[in-house]
Amino acid sequence: MSMISNPLQLNNGKIVQSKKEWFKKRRPELLDFFTTQVYGQMPDKPANMRFVITEDNNSVFNGLATRKQIKVLFEGTETGQQMSILLYTPNDIKSAPIFLGLNFNGNQAVSDDKNIAITTDWVNSKTKGVINNKATCSTRGIASKQWPLEMILKNGYGVATIYAGDIAPDFKEGYKTGVQTLYPELMNRPDNLSTMGAWAWGLSRAMDYLETDKDVDDKKVIVMGTSRMGKAALWAGATDNRFGMVISNESGAGGAKLYHHVYEEDIAQICRVFPHWFSTNFQQFNHKDTTIPFDQHLMMALIAPRPLLVASAKEGYVCDPYGEFLGAVAVSPVYDFLGKKPLPIQLLPKENEPAFGTLGYYMRSGKHDIFPYDWEQFIAFANLNWNKK
Ligand code: GCU
Protein backbone atom coordinates (compact mmCIF):
# COMPACT_ATOMS: atom_id res chain seq x y z
CA MET A 1 0.00 0.00 0.00
CA SER A 2 1.35 3.36 -0.94
CA MET A 3 2.09 5.96 1.70
CA ILE A 4 -0.80 7.57 3.44
CA SER A 5 -0.64 11.03 4.92
CA ASN A 6 0.41 11.91 8.44
CA PRO A 7 -2.69 13.27 10.20
CA LEU A 8 -0.46 15.51 12.33
CA GLN A 9 1.05 17.30 9.33
CA LEU A 10 -0.49 20.68 8.52
CA ASN A 11 -1.32 21.66 4.95
CA ASN A 12 1.81 23.88 5.02
CA GLY A 13 3.97 20.81 5.66
CA LYS A 14 4.78 21.58 9.29
CA ILE A 15 4.06 19.06 12.05
CA VAL A 16 1.52 19.99 14.72
CA GLN A 17 3.41 20.87 17.91
CA SER A 18 0.72 21.22 20.56
CA LYS A 19 -2.81 20.18 21.40
CA LYS A 20 -3.81 23.79 20.95
CA GLU A 21 -2.40 23.78 17.43
CA TRP A 22 -4.31 20.56 16.70
CA PHE A 23 -7.64 22.10 17.69
CA LYS A 24 -6.98 25.59 16.32
CA LYS A 25 -5.24 24.74 13.04
CA ARG A 26 -5.16 21.11 11.96
CA ARG A 27 -8.67 20.08 12.95
CA PRO A 28 -10.28 23.02 11.12
CA GLU A 29 -8.21 22.23 8.00
CA LEU A 30 -9.52 18.67 8.01
CA LEU A 31 -13.10 19.69 8.69
CA ASP A 32 -12.96 22.15 5.83
CA PHE A 33 -11.50 19.54 3.49
CA PHE A 34 -14.13 16.87 4.16
CA THR A 35 -16.93 19.44 4.05
CA THR A 36 -15.95 20.98 0.74
CA GLN A 37 -14.53 17.92 -1.06
CA VAL A 38 -16.30 14.86 0.29
CA TYR A 39 -19.60 15.08 2.19
CA GLY A 40 -20.71 18.62 1.36
CA GLN A 41 -21.98 21.59 3.31
CA MET A 42 -24.39 21.09 6.19
CA PRO A 43 -27.11 23.53 7.25
CA ASP A 44 -27.45 24.94 10.75
CA LYS A 45 -30.16 23.92 13.17
CA PRO A 46 -33.50 25.04 11.68
CA ALA A 47 -34.89 28.10 13.46
CA ASN A 48 -38.47 26.85 13.67
CA MET A 49 -37.74 23.24 14.58
CA ARG A 50 -39.83 21.78 17.38
CA PHE A 51 -40.39 18.42 19.03
CA VAL A 52 -43.71 16.67 19.60
CA ILE A 53 -43.74 13.66 21.93
CA THR A 54 -46.36 11.32 20.53
CA GLU A 55 -45.81 8.43 22.94
CA ASP A 56 -44.38 8.27 26.45
CA ASN A 57 -44.89 4.79 27.87
CA ASN A 58 -42.97 3.84 31.02
CA SER A 59 -43.95 0.18 31.10
CA VAL A 60 -42.40 -1.49 28.11
CA PHE A 61 -40.57 -4.82 28.38
CA ASN A 62 -42.36 -5.56 31.66
CA GLY A 63 -41.37 -2.28 33.23
CA LEU A 64 -37.73 -2.48 32.21
CA ALA A 65 -37.87 0.60 30.06
CA THR A 66 -39.65 3.73 28.91
CA ARG A 67 -40.42 4.13 25.25
CA LYS A 68 -40.95 7.50 23.66
CA GLN A 69 -41.69 8.43 20.10
CA ILE A 70 -40.81 11.97 19.17
CA LYS A 71 -41.62 13.81 16.01
CA VAL A 72 -38.93 16.28 15.06
CA LEU A 73 -40.69 18.88 12.97
CA PHE A 74 -37.87 20.57 11.09
CA GLU A 75 -40.07 23.37 9.83
CA GLY A 76 -42.15 23.56 13.00
CA THR A 77 -45.26 22.32 11.17
CA GLU A 78 -47.01 18.95 11.18
CA THR A 79 -47.13 18.93 7.40
CA GLY A 80 -43.50 19.93 6.80
CA GLN A 81 -40.26 17.92 6.67
CA GLN A 82 -39.92 15.73 9.74
CA MET A 83 -38.32 12.65 11.26
CA SER A 84 -39.43 10.38 14.05
CA ILE A 85 -37.18 9.29 16.93
CA LEU A 86 -37.88 5.99 18.67
CA LEU A 87 -36.27 6.18 22.10
CA TYR A 88 -35.93 3.53 24.81
CA THR A 89 -34.42 4.36 28.20
CA PRO A 90 -33.88 1.97 31.13
CA ASN A 91 -36.19 2.77 34.06
CA ASP A 92 -33.66 1.98 36.76
CA ILE A 93 -31.24 4.73 35.70
CA LYS A 94 -31.91 8.41 36.23
CA SER A 95 -30.32 9.67 33.05
CA ALA A 96 -28.87 6.92 30.92
CA PRO A 97 -26.10 6.78 28.35
CA ILE A 98 -27.61 5.88 25.00
CA PHE A 99 -26.80 4.48 21.60
CA LEU A 100 -28.14 6.58 18.75
CA GLY A 101 -28.21 5.20 15.24
CA LEU A 102 -30.06 5.34 11.96
CA ASN A 103 -32.03 2.35 10.74
CA PHE A 104 -32.59 1.09 7.17
CA ASN A 105 -36.33 0.38 6.89
CA GLY A 106 -38.27 2.43 9.40
CA ASN A 107 -38.59 2.47 13.19
CA GLN A 108 -41.33 -0.18 12.98
CA ALA A 109 -38.71 -2.63 11.70
CA VAL A 110 -36.72 -2.43 14.93
CA SER A 111 -39.36 -4.09 17.12
CA ASP A 112 -42.66 -5.87 16.42
CA ASP A 113 -44.55 -3.75 18.97
CA LYS A 114 -47.70 -2.49 17.24
CA ASN A 115 -47.51 0.88 18.95
CA ILE A 116 -44.52 1.93 16.90
CA ALA A 117 -45.55 4.23 14.09
CA ILE A 118 -44.83 2.89 10.62
CA THR A 119 -42.84 5.30 8.49
CA THR A 120 -44.83 6.88 5.68
CA ASP A 121 -41.68 7.88 3.81
CA TRP A 122 -40.02 6.16 0.86
CA VAL A 123 -38.57 2.73 1.67
CA ASN A 124 -36.59 0.54 -0.70
CA SER A 125 -38.96 -1.88 -2.42
CA LYS A 126 -36.34 -4.63 -2.21
CA THR A 127 -37.24 -4.92 1.47
CA LYS A 128 -39.77 -7.66 2.23
CA GLY A 129 -43.13 -6.16 3.13
CA VAL A 130 -42.55 -2.92 1.24
CA ILE A 131 -45.01 -2.28 -1.56
CA ASN A 132 -44.52 0.57 -4.01
CA ASN A 133 -41.87 2.04 -1.73
CA LYS A 134 -44.26 2.14 1.23
CA ALA A 135 -43.68 0.05 4.35
CA THR A 136 -46.61 -2.21 5.34
CA CYS A 137 -47.42 -3.88 8.68
CA SER A 138 -45.42 -6.91 7.64
CA THR A 139 -42.20 -4.89 8.01
CA ARG A 140 -42.77 -4.74 11.77
CA GLY A 141 -39.86 -6.28 13.61
CA ILE A 142 -37.93 -7.39 10.53
CA ALA A 143 -34.74 -5.80 11.93
CA SER A 144 -35.34 -6.81 15.55
CA LYS A 145 -32.36 -9.18 15.49
CA GLN A 146 -30.13 -6.23 14.67
CA TRP A 147 -31.56 -4.23 17.59
CA PRO A 148 -31.47 -6.46 20.72
CA LEU A 149 -33.24 -3.77 22.75
CA GLU A 150 -33.82 -5.70 25.98
CA MET A 151 -30.22 -6.85 26.17
CA ILE A 152 -28.94 -3.30 25.67
CA LEU A 153 -31.40 -1.87 28.23
CA LYS A 154 -30.49 -4.53 30.80
CA ASN A 155 -26.90 -3.39 30.48
CA GLY A 156 -27.84 0.13 31.49
CA TYR A 157 -27.93 1.79 28.08
CA GLY A 158 -30.79 3.36 26.19
CA VAL A 159 -31.35 3.20 22.45
CA ALA A 160 -32.56 5.87 20.06
CA THR A 161 -33.13 5.22 16.40
CA ILE A 162 -34.40 7.10 13.40
CA TYR A 163 -35.27 5.90 9.94
CA ALA A 164 -32.64 7.41 7.62
CA GLY A 165 -35.26 7.79 4.89
CA ASP A 166 -37.28 10.16 7.09
CA ILE A 167 -34.34 12.55 6.67
CA ALA A 168 -33.30 11.81 3.11
CA PRO A 169 -34.45 8.86 1.00
CA ASP A 170 -31.61 6.67 -0.15
CA PHE A 171 -31.65 6.94 -3.92
CA LYS A 172 -30.10 9.22 -6.49
CA GLU A 173 -33.09 11.54 -6.86
CA GLY A 174 -33.95 11.38 -3.16
CA TYR A 175 -32.81 14.96 -2.62
CA LYS A 176 -35.98 16.06 -4.40
CA THR A 177 -38.10 15.00 -1.42
CA GLY A 178 -35.67 14.88 1.51
CA VAL A 179 -34.58 17.65 3.88
CA GLN A 180 -32.40 18.95 1.06
CA THR A 181 -35.55 20.65 -0.27
CA LEU A 182 -35.33 23.05 2.68
CA TYR A 183 -31.88 24.24 1.61
CA PRO A 184 -31.90 25.06 -2.12
CA GLU A 185 -28.88 27.32 -1.54
CA LEU A 186 -26.88 24.24 -0.58
CA MET A 187 -27.83 22.27 -3.67
CA ASN A 188 -26.64 22.68 -7.23
CA ARG A 189 -23.07 23.45 -6.28
CA PRO A 190 -19.96 21.28 -6.19
CA ASP A 191 -19.95 21.09 -2.38
CA ASN A 192 -23.68 20.34 -2.21
CA LEU A 193 -25.42 18.86 0.83
CA SER A 194 -25.13 15.11 0.18
CA THR A 195 -27.33 12.32 1.50
CA MET A 196 -24.55 11.34 3.91
CA GLY A 197 -24.39 14.97 5.04
CA ALA A 198 -28.15 15.08 5.47
CA TRP A 199 -28.14 11.88 7.54
CA ALA A 200 -25.37 13.21 9.78
CA TRP A 201 -27.29 16.47 10.12
CA GLY A 202 -30.39 14.51 11.13
CA LEU A 203 -28.38 12.75 13.85
CA SER A 204 -27.37 16.16 15.17
CA ARG A 205 -31.01 17.22 15.20
CA ALA A 206 -31.77 14.08 17.24
CA MET A 207 -29.02 15.24 19.60
CA ASP A 208 -30.84 18.59 19.90
CA TYR A 209 -33.84 16.66 21.18
CA LEU A 210 -31.85 14.33 23.43
CA GLU A 211 -30.35 17.36 25.17
CA THR A 212 -33.87 18.22 26.32
CA ASP A 213 -34.80 14.75 27.63
CA LYS A 214 -34.07 14.21 31.32
CA ASP A 215 -34.02 10.42 30.89
CA VAL A 216 -30.89 10.76 28.75
CA ASP A 217 -27.35 11.64 29.80
CA ASP A 218 -26.55 14.01 26.96
CA LYS A 219 -22.80 13.78 27.63
CA LYS A 220 -23.01 10.08 26.93
CA VAL A 221 -24.67 9.76 23.56
CA ILE A 222 -22.91 7.16 21.41
CA VAL A 223 -23.55 7.71 17.73
CA MET A 224 -23.33 4.39 15.92
CA GLY A 225 -24.34 2.69 12.71
CA THR A 226 -23.84 -0.28 10.43
CA SER A 227 -22.52 -0.04 6.90
CA ARG A 228 -23.91 3.06 5.16
CA MET A 229 -25.35 4.14 8.51
CA GLY A 230 -21.86 3.64 9.96
CA LYS A 231 -20.48 6.09 7.40
CA ALA A 232 -23.15 8.59 8.50
CA ALA A 233 -22.36 7.95 12.18
CA LEU A 234 -18.67 8.69 11.63
CA TRP A 235 -19.42 11.91 9.77
CA ALA A 236 -21.93 12.93 12.47
CA GLY A 237 -19.33 12.28 15.16
CA ALA A 238 -16.76 14.19 13.14
CA THR A 239 -18.95 17.27 12.69
CA ASP A 240 -20.72 17.41 16.04
CA ASN A 241 -18.61 17.08 19.17
CA ARG A 242 -21.65 16.75 21.40
CA PHE A 243 -21.48 13.02 20.54
CA GLY A 244 -19.43 11.55 23.37
CA MET A 245 -18.46 8.35 21.54
CA VAL A 246 -18.60 7.02 18.00
CA ILE A 247 -18.99 3.44 16.76
CA SER A 248 -18.54 2.40 13.17
CA ASN A 249 -19.83 -1.09 12.46
CA GLU A 250 -18.58 -2.26 9.07
CA SER A 251 -18.71 1.21 7.54
CA GLY A 252 -16.34 0.36 4.69
CA ALA A 253 -15.73 2.78 1.82
CA GLY A 254 -16.67 6.32 2.77
CA GLY A 255 -16.39 5.14 6.38
CA ALA A 256 -13.44 3.68 8.25
CA LYS A 257 -11.78 1.93 5.30
CA LEU A 258 -8.70 3.46 3.68
CA TYR A 259 -9.18 3.90 -0.07
CA HIS A 260 -5.42 3.41 -0.43
CA HIS A 261 -6.02 -0.24 0.45
CA VAL A 262 -7.55 -1.23 -2.86
CA TYR A 263 -10.03 -4.03 -2.23
CA GLU A 264 -13.70 -4.36 -3.20
CA GLU A 265 -15.49 -0.97 -3.34
CA ASP A 266 -13.36 1.92 -4.59
CA ILE A 267 -14.13 5.60 -5.09
CA ALA A 268 -15.32 5.29 -8.69
CA GLN A 269 -17.62 2.40 -7.82
CA ILE A 270 -19.22 3.99 -4.77
CA CYS A 271 -19.69 7.25 -6.69
CA ARG A 272 -21.29 5.39 -9.60
CA VAL A 273 -23.72 3.30 -7.55
CA PHE A 274 -24.43 5.83 -4.78
CA PRO A 275 -23.58 9.26 -6.28
CA HIS A 276 -25.94 10.98 -3.84
CA TRP A 277 -23.98 9.86 -0.78
CA PHE A 278 -21.25 12.40 -1.51
CA SER A 279 -21.09 15.91 -2.86
CA THR A 280 -20.28 16.37 -6.54
CA ASN A 281 -16.73 17.46 -5.73
CA PHE A 282 -15.90 13.97 -4.52
CA GLN A 283 -16.18 12.61 -8.08
CA GLN A 284 -12.88 14.32 -8.93
CA PHE A 285 -11.13 11.51 -7.03
CA ASN A 286 -12.60 8.68 -9.13
CA HIS A 287 -9.86 6.15 -10.03
CA LYS A 288 -7.35 7.99 -7.81
CA ASP A 289 -7.65 5.76 -4.74
CA THR A 290 -3.91 5.26 -4.37
CA THR A 291 -2.81 8.78 -5.27
CA ILE A 292 -5.26 10.91 -3.29
CA PRO A 293 -3.40 13.13 -0.81
CA PHE A 294 -5.88 12.27 1.96
CA ASP A 295 -7.74 9.25 3.23
CA GLN A 296 -10.52 8.39 5.67
CA HIS A 297 -8.25 8.36 8.73
CA LEU A 298 -8.22 12.15 8.44
CA MET A 299 -12.00 12.20 8.74
CA MET A 300 -11.88 9.93 11.79
CA ALA A 301 -9.21 12.21 13.27
CA LEU A 302 -11.98 14.80 13.72
CA ILE A 303 -13.53 12.48 16.32
CA ALA A 304 -10.40 12.41 18.53
CA PRO A 305 -9.98 12.61 21.49
CA ARG A 306 -13.45 11.12 21.96
CA PRO A 307 -13.62 7.29 22.08
CA LEU A 308 -13.95 5.68 18.67
CA LEU A 309 -14.56 1.99 17.97
CA VAL A 310 -14.02 0.57 14.51
CA ALA A 311 -15.77 -2.80 14.15
CA SER A 312 -15.36 -5.15 11.21
CA ALA A 313 -16.71 -8.54 10.19
CA LYS A 314 -14.32 -11.07 8.72
CA GLU A 315 -16.67 -11.97 5.86
CA GLY A 316 -17.94 -8.42 5.42
CA TYR A 317 -15.90 -8.26 2.26
CA VAL A 318 -17.70 -5.28 0.75
CA CYS A 319 -16.47 -3.17 3.67
CA ASP A 320 -12.87 -4.43 3.49
CA PRO A 321 -12.13 -5.41 7.11
CA TYR A 322 -8.38 -5.07 6.63
CA GLY A 323 -8.83 -1.61 5.07
CA GLU A 324 -10.94 -0.64 8.11
CA PHE A 325 -8.21 -1.89 10.42
CA LEU A 326 -5.66 0.17 8.51
CA GLY A 327 -7.93 3.21 8.93
CA ALA A 328 -7.90 2.70 12.69
CA VAL A 329 -4.11 2.24 12.69
CA ALA A 330 -3.67 5.43 10.67
CA VAL A 331 -5.74 7.60 13.03
CA SER A 332 -4.11 6.14 16.13
CA PRO A 333 -1.21 8.68 16.32
CA VAL A 334 -3.79 11.44 16.84
CA TYR A 335 -5.16 9.69 19.93
CA ASP A 336 -1.63 9.25 21.20
CA PHE A 337 -0.77 12.90 20.52
CA LEU A 338 -3.89 14.09 22.36
CA GLY A 339 -2.94 12.03 25.42
CA LYS A 340 -5.50 9.26 24.91
CA LYS A 341 -5.02 5.51 24.66
CA PRO A 342 -4.13 4.68 21.05
CA LEU A 343 -4.98 1.42 19.35
CA PRO A 344 -3.24 -1.26 21.45
CA ILE A 345 -2.25 -3.36 18.41
CA GLN A 346 -0.35 -2.87 15.15
CA LEU A 347 -1.24 -6.09 13.38
CA LEU A 348 -4.68 -7.29 12.34
CA PRO A 349 -5.99 -9.26 15.32
CA LYS A 350 -7.53 -12.71 15.03
CA GLU A 351 -11.29 -12.78 14.74
CA ASN A 352 -13.26 -12.06 17.92
CA GLU A 353 -10.23 -10.59 19.71
CA PRO A 354 -11.16 -7.01 20.57
CA ALA A 355 -8.34 -4.52 21.18
CA PHE A 356 -9.63 -1.49 23.04
CA GLY A 357 -7.98 1.79 23.97
CA THR A 358 -9.72 5.15 23.61
CA LEU A 359 -9.52 3.97 20.03
CA GLY A 360 -10.62 0.38 19.53
CA TYR A 361 -10.88 -2.27 16.85
CA TYR A 362 -12.16 -5.81 16.49
CA MET A 363 -13.04 -8.16 13.67
CA ARG A 364 -16.01 -10.39 14.33
CA SER A 365 -16.25 -13.76 12.60
CA GLY A 366 -19.04 -14.12 10.09
CA LYS A 367 -20.86 -12.01 7.56
CA HIS A 368 -21.71 -8.36 7.00
CA ASP A 369 -24.43 -7.60 9.58
CA ILE A 370 -24.82 -6.64 13.21
CA PHE A 371 -25.06 -9.42 15.76
CA PRO A 372 -25.62 -9.49 19.53
CA TYR A 373 -21.85 -10.13 19.71
CA ASP A 374 -21.32 -6.68 18.21
CA TRP A 375 -23.61 -5.01 20.75
CA GLU A 376 -21.77 -6.85 23.52
CA GLN A 377 -18.52 -5.32 22.25
CA PHE A 378 -20.07 -1.85 21.96
CA ILE A 379 -21.25 -2.09 25.56
CA ALA A 380 -17.87 -3.41 26.76
CA PHE A 381 -16.09 -0.57 24.90
CA ALA A 382 -18.41 2.06 26.37
CA ASN A 383 -18.12 0.57 29.89
CA LEU A 384 -14.35 0.57 29.63
CA ASN A 385 -14.10 4.15 28.42
CA TRP A 386 -16.67 5.48 30.83
CA ASN A 387 -15.34 3.46 33.78
CA LYS A 388 -18.56 1.57 34.25
CA LYS A 389 -18.57 -1.75 36.13
C1 GCU B 1 -23.49 -1.37 -0.39
C2 GCU B 1 -22.43 -0.30 -0.51
C3 GCU B 1 -21.60 -0.17 0.76
C4 GCU B 1 -22.50 -0.05 1.95
C5 GCU B 1 -23.48 -1.20 1.98
C6 GCU B 1 -24.50 -1.13 3.10
O1 GCU B 1 -22.89 -2.64 -0.39
O2 GCU B 1 -21.63 -0.59 -1.62
O3 GCU B 1 -20.76 0.96 0.68
O4 GCU B 1 -21.74 0.04 3.12
O5 GCU B 1 -24.23 -1.21 0.79
O6 GCU B 1 -24.89 -0.05 3.51
O7 GCU B 1 -24.96 -2.21 3.51
Side-chain angles (χ1 to χ4, degrees):
M1 195 177 74
S2 53
M3 281 292 287
I4 54 148
S5 57
N6 176 357
L8 296 165
Q9 185 167 27
L10 290 151
N11 288 348
N12 68 12
K14 293 197 177 131
I15 301 293
V16 177
Q17 297 299 329
S18 64
K19 287 185 191 172
K20 189 172 163 204
E21 201 176 11
W22 170 265
F23 290 108
K24 286 252 155 15
K25 286 197 187 150
R26 183 56 175 154
R27 197 179 179 283
E29 279 183 359
L30 295 175
L31 186 58
D32 178 68
F33 178 83
F34 283 93
T35 303
T36 59
Q37 307 302 314
V38 185
Y39 302 102
Q41 299 290 342
M42 269 155 84
D44 296 333
K45 175 171 154 177
N48 297 326
M49 180 172 73
R50 66 190 177 91
F51 311 119
V52 179
I53 298 176
T54 55
E55 188 196 25
D56 186 349
N57 175 351
N58 65 6
S59 61
V60 296
F61 301 130
N62 293 319
L64 173 69
T66 294
R67 183 180 61 222
K68 295 194 189 96
Q69 297 185 70
I70 305 105
K71 279 196 210 167
V72 178
L73 306 176
F74 296 125
E75 299 173 80
T77 61
E78 289 280 352
T79 51
Q81 287 284 338
Q82 57 189 275
M83 68 178 188
S84 177
I85 305 173
L86 174 65
L87 169 66
Y88 292 86
T89 46
N91 283 338
D92 59 349
I93 297 181
K94 213 162 173 224
S95 60
I98 72 158
F99 290 98
L100 166 68
L102 299 173
N103 65 67
F104 283 79
N105 293 303
N107 293 349
Q108 80 287 343
V110 166
S111 157
D112 57 15
D113 194 304
K114 296 202 169 35
N115 293 304
I116 300 172
I118 297 181
T119 183
T120 55
D121 283 310
W122 181 96
V123 183
N124 195 322
S125 280
K126 283 189 196 139
T127 305
K128 226 177 117 209
V130 174
I131 298 169
N132 295 328
N133 297 113
K134 291 284 169 215
T136 67
C137 306
S138 49
T139 61
R140 286 194 183 283
I142 57 170
S144 58
K145 279 210 183 99
Q146 277 93 6
W147 297 89
L149 300 168
E150 287 192 65
M151 185 272 263
I152 302 166
L153 289 156
K154 282 181 183 150
N155 277 281
Y157 289 81
V159 180
T161 186
I162 302 150
Y163 171 47
D166 279 1
I167 307 163
D170 191 9
F171 63 101
K172 199 177 161 192
E173 309 277 289
Y175 69 92
K176 292 183 179 164
T177 55
V179 292
Q180 295 97 323
T181 54
L182 302 177
Y183 303 101
E185 70 283 9
L186 296 184
M187 303 310 289
N188 247 320
R189 50 192 272 181
D191 59 351
N192 58 299
L193 168 61
S194 65
T195 300
M196 211 49 80
W199 287 343
W201 175 89
L203 287 163
S204 285
R205 303 293 67 85
M207 187 67 191
D208 296 336
Y209 166 76
L210 295 171
E211 285 182 323
T212 70
D213 191 315
K214 62 171 179 32
D215 294 336
V216 172
D217 181 347
D218 61 5
K219 297 279 176 290
K220 291 191 175 158
V221 177
I222 305 162
V223 65
M224 56 75 62
T226 298
S227 218
R228 68 196 67 185
M229 305 315 173
K231 309 180 208 292
L234 285 170
W235 183 231
T239 51
D240 188 338
N241 56 29
R242 292 176 298 171
F243 293 116
M245 189 178 289
V246 183
I247 299 179
S248 145
N249 184 50
E250 301 160 52
S251 59
K257 169 209 161 75
L258 293 186
Y259 293 116
H260 278 79
H261 183 251
V262 179
Y263 180 80
E264 287 278 339
E265 199 170 31
D266 64 10
I267 299 177
Q269 188 182 333
I270 202 168
C271 286
R272 181 173 49 77
V273 185
F274 305 100
H276 54 292
W277 284 359
F278 305 93
S279 59
T280 310
N281 262 343
F282 189 53
Q283 309 259 357
Q284 66 188 293
F285 303 112
N286 283 347
H287 306 294
K288 295 188 180 151
D289 301 71
T290 57
T291 55
I292 45 172
F294 67 96
D295 215 321
Q296 290 298 105
H297 62 307
L298 302 183
M299 189 268 273
M300 291 191 282
L302 293 164
I303 295 164
R306 291 165 289 151
L308 165 64
L309 173 59
V310 174
S312 297
K314 187 159 189 207
E315 293 160 29
Y317 306 115
V318 67
C319 290
D320 182 10
Y322 189 53
E324 293 179 318
F325 172 69
L326 294 174
V329 170
V331 68
S332 193
V334 180
Y335 279 82
D336 206 10
F337 182 78
L338 296 176
K340 297 293 172 180
K341 287 198 191 113
L343 198 65
I345 46 170
Q346 264 109 45
L347 296 174
L348 184 71
K350 290 208 191 90
E351 50 202 88
N352 307 328
E353 280 187 8
F356 293 167
T358 313
L359 174 64
Y361 178 85
Y362 73 87
M363 181 175 62
R364 168 176 58 67
S365 53
K367 65 182 177 86
H368 182 59
D369 202 340
I370 181 165
F371 292 156
Y373 175 87
D374 296 300
W375 284 102
E376 284 160 18
Q377 303 320 309
F378 303 168
I379 290 165
F381 181 75
N383 284 347
L384 179 81
N385 275 286
W386 286 336
N387 300 319
K388 274 186 59 168
K389 281 168 219 161

